Amino acid sequence: MSSAQRREQLISVARRAFAERGYDATSVEDIAARAKVSKPVVYEHFGGKEGLYAVVVDREVRSLLDRITHALTGGHPRVLVEQAALALLDYIEGDPDGFRVLVRDSPVMSDTGNFSSVLNDVAHQAEGILGKEFKLRGFDPKLAELYSQALVGMVALTGRWWLDARKPKKEVVASHLVNLAWNGLSHLDTTPPHLPSHPS
């Protein structure tokens, strides 16, 4: 096996291990044993578990972000919301190990290299789309950031649930997410009422 092939093998083995056991419960020994190599081979390629984990997460972040970014091009905003939801569900269905790696917490990763960073990037793109719609409808475009975070959070949490549930079909899940989001957005109050402050 060439050095490049060995590197890819180790990434693949580690991805599966991190998905199954999480970062903390996976050791270099585990990865080496699964790959049928010695521990020094892992250290030689990645410098340790942290380096290997960072490569795995970076690949998953790029893969998921590419899918969702592609889904957020062209079309009516309602269609864009459904396409983005379906892109996430497609990723979960096709790459459950990758998604499990992304949604697990790790002490070595910050908010710039994990699922949170993907969600923030997607929310930023959604903010631009919502901002235009808000202007057209007479709403304060400054609130687009808040609404984009809410929409992305709703889709992400539903995706985490669907990872294990797998029912109903992803197309049905996406359409119901859009039903809730869009019908809610289409009847927004420009200044929604809120509960009065209660004395402590």
Side-chain angles (χ1 to χ4, degrees):
M1 195 178 283
S2 71
S3 178
Q5 289 170 327
R6 178 66 72 195
R7 181 180 170 82
E8 289 304 313
Q9 180 214 20
L10 291 170
I11 292 169
S12 176
V13 166
R15 181 179 186 260
R16 197 170 311 111
F18 290 134
E20 290 171 5
R21 306 187 67 202
Y23 176 83
D24 288 332
T26 302
S27 66
V28 170
E29 290 87 347
D30 296 331
I31 294 164
R34 287 180 184 219
K36 298 184 171 75
V37 298
S38 63
K39 286 196 311 181
V41 172
V42 178
Y43 286 107
E44 176 188 333
H45 283 276
F46 301 99
K49 183 171 80 165
E50 295 85 359
L52 180 49
Y53 184 79
V55 170
V56 170
V57 170
D58 182 63
R59 284 189 177 192
E60 296 306 321
V61 166
R62 282 188 283 121
S63 174
L64 178 54
L65 191 55
D66 286 349
R67 287 178 188 234
I68 295 177
T69 299
H70 181 71
L72 287 173
T73 55
H76 188 274
R78 179 183 178 135
V79 174
L80 293 177
V81 172
E82 188 161 357
Q83 287 174 177
L86 201 49
L88 175 64
L89 296 172
D90 280 340
Y91 173 76
I92 293 168
E93 182 179 63
D95 294 300
D97 282 351
F99 188 72
R100 282 188 177 93
V101 169
L102 287 180
V103 297
R104 289 183 185 270
D105 293 329
S106 166
V108 299
M109 299 305 293
S110 68
D111 285 342
T112 59
N114 56 21
F115 193 51
S116 294
S117 69
V118 174
L119 297 183
N120 284 332
D121 285 347
V122 172
H124 183 68
Q125 293 177 53
E127 181 185 342
I129 295 164
L130 285 179
K132 291 175 190 171
E133 284 295 306
F134 277 25
K135 280 183 185 175
L136 289 172
R137 295 168 188 250
F139 293 98
D140 183 355
K142 291 177 187 169
L143 293 172
E145 181 178 8
L146 184 158
Y147 281 95
S148 67
Q149 290 287 338
L151 279 172
V152 170
M154 178 180 74
V155 173
L157 281 175
T158 303
R160 289 182 81 158
W161 162 79
W162 191 77
L163 174 65
D164 295 318
R166 296 302 174 105
K167 290 181 185 176
K169 291 182 178 179
K170 64 185 176 186
E171 294 81 6
V172 174
V173 173
S175 66
H176 281 279
L177 281 167
V178 173
N179 184 37
L180 174 61
W182 193 258
N183 287 329
L185 287 171
S186 64
H187 296 98
L188 288 180
D189 292 323
T190 52
T191 309
H194 54 274
L195 292 173
S197 298
H198 293 291
S200 305

